[in-house]
Amino acid sequence: MKRIFGLITLAALYILPATAQDNYTELSYKFQAGQQFELKQESRSETYTTVDDVVKRVTRDFNNTIAIDVTEAAPGRAVLTFRYKELKFNFNSLNQNIYVDANTPNDKEPFQAALKNILDHPFTVEIQTTGNINKVNGLDNLLDSAATAFTSLKKDEQEAYKKLMKDQFGTDAFRSWLEQLLVIYPAHGIKTGTQWEESVPLRTGLVGRIDLYWNLQTWDSQTAKINATGKIKTNKLEQFTIEDGIQATAEIEGTMQSNYLIDAGTGMPSICVQNTEMNGNYTYLANKAKHLKHDLKVPVKVITNASYKVKQMK
């Protein structure tokens, strides 16, 4: 009996260190030059504003496919080349509806021609292996070139279309979207239950920040499940321009919930589901040209639901 107990104890001495080591994993983006990924996005954002007891609803739907090539991989960083392969966008406001499938000709919709000019044209993202984005290059130049589709329109229509395109697809909008999609990993090993955090600027036309909190739920050699909460808060003193040219400030707070299934081999999210809700007030600033004699406080609510799939192609 003593001999059996001794063998069990001896075995435990070998097993326990390995088990303790296996409780920790190091997650990061492990890119290699030549790798290729395909990202599919489906999302809807609904914005509700209430002016003089009248509720205005604006919706934005995206259904996009993006090819991602790893064009450079170095210690600690990589350069990814992005190309839109499919770009479907639906914008609906009170008196305006714009539906665009960039691959389907539509001579009556200038926005279609502009977004078609974006398809298959490259722009790059330099990213750290932790997931922090260093810079986005070439996207604003691409949008400036695509905006030539608006030259036949009246001046005010050109400016409205350019603003819509920049707000939805420009560098700040793209970077904000990508920062919220990609997990920013800690530089140390983590185990089930580990929580970590990062703060990134809010770049959605509003000025503020998102405090992101991640939690490793489960993991094995191939995948990891991560839950994230984002706390959103705007800077109520900073001004921005809303759709109809009115200057405003925003005092808005909200929460974003994200669930990820991570490919442990690359660090990329195979699946990500996100839900965001923000509430607060816009303050429309007095503007005689817009018939605003005084500042006007406008309640606002924003709801966004999105899902993403990333598949490694090579």
Side-chain angles (χ1 to χ4, degrees):
M1 184 70 177
K2 290 182 180 180
R3 183 172 181 273
I4 293 174
F5 180 80
L7 290 173
I8 293 173
T9 303
L10 184 63
L13 292 176
Y14 287 96
I15 293 171
L16 285 176
T19 303
Q21 183 178 4
D22 288 346
N23 281 339
Y24 284 84
T25 183
E26 292 188 6
L27 292 174
S28 64
Y29 293 95
K30 305 175 183 71
F31 292 122
Q32 298 178 16
Q35 287 178 323
Q36 296 177 347
F37 300 88
E38 182 181 83
L39 186 156
K40 289 185 176 292
Q41 170 195 8
E42 293 183 9
S43 66
R44 161 166 280 210
S45 180
E46 302 177 353
T47 301
Y48 298 87
T49 53
T50 305
V51 182
D52 296 331
D53 297 324
V54 177
V55 178
K56 177 183 178 182
R57 177 173 176 260
V58 176
T59 63
R60 299 171 179 84
D61 294 271
F62 297 87
N63 193 331
N64 304 328
T65 301
I66 302 175
I68 305 172
D69 295 339
V70 181
T71 48
E72 182 181 339
R77 56 175 283 276
V79 176
L80 311 181
T81 297
F82 286 71
R83 289 179 177 85
Y84 282 101
K85 307 302 290 184
E86 294 180 350
L87 213 169
K88 298 178 182 178
F89 174 65
N90 189 45
F91 174 84
N92 187 281
S93 188
L94 282 177
N95 300 311
Q96 185 181 30
N97 185 74
I98 299 173
Y99 173 73
V100 169
D101 178 348
N103 282 313
T104 302
N106 182 357
D107 295 336
K108 296 181 180 180
E109 179 48 67
F111 210 60
Q112 190 279 335
L115 294 190
K116 182 173 178 58
N117 290 339
I118 296 175
L119 287 183
D120 291 316
H121 288 280
F123 58 96
T124 63
V125 175
E126 183 179 302
I127 184 173
Q128 299 175 25
T129 51
T130 55
N132 295 94
I133 297 172
N134 292 338
K135 54 187 175 181
V136 178
N137 285 329
L139 183 53
D140 279 342
N141 290 338
L142 176 56
L143 262 62
D144 288 342
S145 177
T148 57
F150 306 139
T151 53
S152 62
L153 302 176
K154 296 178 181 179
K155 183 68 174 178
D156 59 340
E157 291 178 329
Q158 289 186 42
E159 295 305 316
Y161 270 111
K162 287 178 182 179
K163 183 180 186 307
L164 178 61
M165 188 164 63
K166 182 178 179 180
D167 287 349
Q168 307 308 317
F169 301 100
T171 295
D172 285 348
F174 180 85
R175 180 167 181 163
S176 176
W177 166 77
L178 193 59
E179 286 174 334
Q180 294 174 46
L181 170 61
L182 298 179
V183 176
I184 300 177
Y185 296 113
H188 53 77
I190 55 178
K191 62 180 181 178
T192 300
T194 297
Q195 296 182 349
W196 67 100
E197 63 186 77
E198 189 77 30
S199 183
V200 298
L202 183 63
R203 298 184 176 95
T204 57
L206 301 174
V207 180
R209 72 175 191 276
I210 307 178
D211 296 323
L212 296 163
Y213 303 87
W214 289 278
N215 175 49
L216 179 62
Q217 295 179 308
T218 62
W219 67 275
D220 57 33
S221 61
Q222 295 181 324
T223 62
K225 291 183 180 180
I226 293 175
N227 169 266
T229 298
K231 295 183 178 179
I232 303 166
K233 187 173 184 179
T234 62
N235 184 333
K236 63 183 180 180
L237 300 179
E238 293 290 338
Q239 296 184 19
F240 66 101
T241 304
I242 62 174
E243 281 83 359
D244 43 4
I246 296 173
Q247 290 294 112
T249 58
E251 188 172 1
I252 295 175
E253 296 185 0
T255 302
M256 179 178 69
Q257 298 289 341
S258 305
N259 288 286
Y260 299 87
L261 178 64
I262 301 297
D263 180 340
T266 63
M268 291 288 275
S270 299
I271 300 173
C272 174
V273 178
Q274 291 182 333
N275 307 100
T276 303
E277 183 168 330
M278 300 188 295
N279 292 276
N281 295 289
Y282 290 159
T283 298
Y284 292 180
L285 303 181
N287 186 330
K288 291 182 180 179
K290 300 295 180 180
H291 306 292
L292 282 174
K293 296 181 180 180
H294 307 283
D295 291 353
L296 178 65
K297 185 166 286 189
V298 176
V300 60
K301 181 177 183 177
V302 182
I303 300 172
T304 303
N305 296 302
S307 64
Y308 307 93
K309 294 180 180 180
V310 178
K311 181 179 180 181
Q312 185 170 356
M313 309 301 288
K314 181 179 176 182

